[in-house]
Amino acid sequence: MDSDEETLEETVEGHLDDDGLPHGFCTVTYSSTDRFEGNFVHGEKNGRGKFFFFDGSTLEGYYVDDALQGQGIYTYEDGVVLHGTYVDGELNGPAQEYDSDGRLIFKGQYKDNIRHGVCWIYYPDGGSLVGEVNEEGEMTGEKIAYVYPDGKTAYSGRFIDGEMIEAKLATLTSVEDGKPQFEVVPGSPAYSFDKSTSSCISTNALLPDPYESERVYVDVSLISSAGEGLFSKIAAEASTVMSFYNGVRITHQEVKERKVDSRDWALNGNTISLDDETVIDVPEPYNHAAKYCASLGHKANHSFTPNCIYDPFVHPRFGPIKCIRTIRAVEKDEELTVAYGYDHNPVGQNGPEAPEWYQLELKAFQAAQQK
């Protein structure tokens, strides 16, 4: 993000002055293979210009006496874009960062190229992290907070590099000049980062998620023979995060071996793919609320016309998981459903790779669609 170029000039395309220095609009390629295109005055960058760095990143802005001044735009090689304020070639002042899809992911201050003061980090799922960063620009300290997607429910307390060490439930009451004000909920238990393993679903399996508790409840499903289901406590708009799907973390290979060994789909009744390597599972006895109620997303039943989807979520307590997010407005007490997404055309098989109940429902749904 620094605009200084310390390597020797290698080639110049453009006009040279009487001393052989770039003058006017020129393209200068350095021995590092970095390239600068812009205006020069007797060898110094003056006016608008843009660096093209060897790693694919770029930096553009207005140069005065060889240094970037004022607003500059740094584009990382992965497409993330930083809009910042430069003083003598270094980031000093307000800055915002956007991901490759144009979503805001950072807002705050920089000092000498390092994040400084109160900063906000925004996650694609709608959650955010806020607080005064340390000298290294990290979210480390006693007054850092995670804010849920509703913009109100929060955990405030001690974090180290963005990881929640010990925090209390709080409410975000106001934000003035980018600085948040929180009120800690009296009697709040302590919350901490508690990412599951292959053998431990949670160190506090009976501590509910406060955001989820305000939005969903478990009751007898309205779907025949489905057992329990997940219901909305509130009327909610489309794209609202309602619930979280945490569980033990196993591999896709372990799931396949279960099927090969027993063909018992009951063993995989609460599994969901997190990514190419990991599957989240809520096995016995944790599918019973008396044993596990820290998250409830596994209670959502299947529908071929669902009102929700599974969506990635970075949870302050559970780490990377999936959430249940509405795809349309839902009413209070409406059952929340998702499409389970079994493979309808697996390679080498005649018919869907799915439990019998799903195959029967699929046939009935397809028959109804043809009428």
Side-chain angles (χ1 to χ4, degrees):
M1 290 178 289
D2 195 324
S3 65
D4 289 340
E5 177 58 68
E6 298 178 351
T7 53
L8 295 176
E9 296 174 10
E10 189 172 84
T11 60
V12 177
E13 297 178 29
H15 182 73
L16 303 179
D17 64 11
D18 293 341
D19 295 322
L21 298 174
H23 190 69
F25 186 87
C26 296
T27 297
V28 178
T29 303
Y30 301 88
S31 56
S32 62
T33 70
D34 293 345
R35 185 176 84 255
F36 180 84
E37 296 179 359
N39 289 296
F40 287 80
V41 175
H42 301 299
E44 291 189 336
K45 305 175 195 74
N46 274 281
R48 182 152 297 277
K50 185 174 183 178
F51 264 109
F52 297 83
F53 299 108
F54 72 93
D55 61 1
S57 61
T58 64
L59 175 63
E60 60 182 308
Y62 196 86
Y63 289 78
V64 177
D65 297 334
D66 230 23
L68 185 57
Q69 304 284 0
Q71 293 300 303
I73 301 174
Y74 184 89
T75 304
Y76 294 83
E77 58 271 25
D78 61 0
V80 172
V81 179
L82 184 153
H83 295 254
T85 305
Y86 284 79
V87 177
D88 296 331
E90 294 190 333
L91 274 168
N92 279 283
Q96 300 85 39
E97 292 182 38
Y98 300 85
D99 68 13
S100 57
D101 294 321
R103 295 173 297 199
L104 181 67
I105 58 175
F106 171 84
K107 186 176 183 179
Q109 300 278 330
Y110 272 80
K111 182 178 180 181
D112 298 333
N113 289 330
I114 299 174
R115 290 176 178 178
H116 177 76
V118 175
C119 296
W120 290 79
I121 294 173
Y122 302 95
Y123 298 112
D125 53 48
S128 59
L129 200 60
V130 61
E132 187 167 348
V133 298
N134 66 5
E135 293 180 354
E136 285 75 40
E138 300 168 340
M139 283 287 187
T140 297
E142 303 292 330
K143 295 183 179 181
I144 308 295
Y146 171 85
V147 183
Y148 278 95
D150 64 352
K152 297 179 180 179
T153 310
Y155 297 120
S156 179
R158 182 171 174 247
F159 286 67
I160 294 180
D161 198 13
E163 183 175 299
M164 185 167 64
I165 304 302
E166 183 175 352
K168 297 294 183 70
L169 180 62
T171 301
L172 175 60
T173 57
S174 65
V175 179
E176 296 182 10
D177 297 325
K179 297 180 179 180
Q181 296 294 323
F182 294 95
E183 288 185 4
V184 174
V185 175
S188 167
Y191 296 86
S192 61
F193 185 66
D194 186 24
K195 184 179 176 181
S196 64
T197 65
S198 61
S199 59
C200 179
I201 195 169
S202 173
T203 60
N204 203 338
L206 299 180
L207 179 62
D209 181 274
Y211 174 94
E212 182 181 62
S213 297
E214 294 292 319
R215 286 162 177 78
V216 299
Y217 64 94
V218 176
D219 205 343
V220 177
S221 175
L222 301 177
I223 301 172
S224 177
S225 303
E228 292 181 324
L230 191 67
F231 293 80
S232 178
K233 278 187 178 181
I234 61 171
E237 297 297 321
S239 197
T240 300
V241 174
M242 300 295 288
S243 183
F244 303 108
Y245 201 127
N246 180 52
V248 296
R249 295 166 193 265
I250 59 178
T251 65
H252 284 274
Q253 184 60 36
E254 288 176 89
V255 174
K256 290 179 182 178
E257 289 173 356
R258 287 177 179 177
K259 298 175 187 176
V260 170
D261 290 345
S262 64
R263 297 302 301 173
D264 185 358
W265 279 99
L267 289 176
N268 294 318
N270 287 324
T271 57
I272 181 175
S273 176
L274 178 62
D275 52 39
D276 291 341
E277 298 179 356
T278 306
V279 172
I280 294 176
D281 185 21
V282 185
E284 286 278 359
Y286 301 113
N287 56 333
H288 302 289
K291 294 294 184 180
Y292 178 76
C293 60
S295 63
L296 300 174
H298 58 283
K299 292 295 185 179
N301 285 314
H302 165 78
S303 172
F304 289 109
T305 56
N307 52 23
C308 295
I309 58 170
Y310 295 123
D311 216 17
F313 196 91
V314 179
H315 197 280
R317 181 176 164 197
F318 306 127
I321 56 169
K322 289 289 181 77
C323 70
I324 305 290
R325 186 187 295 273
T326 58
I327 55 176
R328 63 165 174 79
V330 297
E331 300 296 326
K332 182 178 182 294
D333 297 319
E334 183 175 347
E335 183 165 5
L336 303 178
T337 58
V338 290
Y340 279 5
Y342 290 113
D343 190 352
H344 290 186
N345 299 289
V347 177
Q349 287 188 213
N350 184 20
E353 185 178 21
E356 184 178 358
W357 68 262
Y358 182 93
Q359 296 188 46
L360 292 174
E361 282 197 19
L362 177 61
K363 289 179 181 179
F365 176 74
Q366 291 173 334
Q369 292 294 103
Q370 293 173 358
K371 289 182 180 179

